Amino acid sequence: MMTSAEAAAASSGAGGGFVGPGPAVIGAAQVKEMRDDANVSLRGNVIQHLGGDDYLFRDSTGTVQVEIDHDKWGGLKVSPEDVVTLHGEVDKDFFSTKVDVDRVAKE
């Protein structure tokens, strides 16, 4: 017999979620052409810390600034030689375009 808390968790889908394709991996150069708040995935290298939560990301198409909050690293240690996949949203304003990263995965 399930407790009421277990039943609520089971009915809410706690611990589960969608398993399938997400946003296609795009190139850094394409980020500038995307709309604000568009979901993106990038695969390449974080090559430089720019200060605070800002970093420079590079792939074969170019570079783009990314914002990775401390808690989004998930305990990973990443060097410029490590290939990573970044998942996040495009953040555009009048003067710049960057990616606000939600998740970092090391290859």
Side-chain angles (χ1 to χ4, degrees):
M1 182 86 133
M2 282 202 276
T3 67
S4 60
E6 291 170 328
S11 67
S12 70
F18 178 72
V19 178
V25 174
I26 64 164
Q30 291 175 280
V31 170
K32 295 174 181 71
E33 307 304 320
M34 305 209 51
R35 65 176 170 73
D36 189 36
D37 296 325
N39 289 318
V40 295
S41 294
L42 301 166
R43 185 173 186 273
N45 307 83
V46 177
I47 60 169
Q48 184 179 358
H49 183 215
L50 301 174
D53 293 330
D54 292 326
Y55 298 85
L56 189 62
F57 172 87
R58 179 180 63 209
D59 65 14
S60 62
T61 69
T63 61
V64 66
Q65 185 174 331
V66 296
E67 180 181 338
I68 309 173
D69 296 338
H70 179 73
D71 63 325
K72 305 302 183 192
W73 288 100
L76 293 175
K77 297 207 182 299
V78 174
S79 75
E81 291 77 32
D82 293 318
V83 176
V84 296
T85 301
L86 306 179
H87 304 278
E89 299 87 33
V90 175
D91 184 14
K92 283 189 170 188
D93 64 26
F94 289 111
F95 304 107
S96 67
T97 299
K98 64 182 174 181
V99 174
D100 187 5
V101 175
D102 296 321
R103 186 167 49 95
V104 178
K106 191 172 173 180
E107 305 286 317

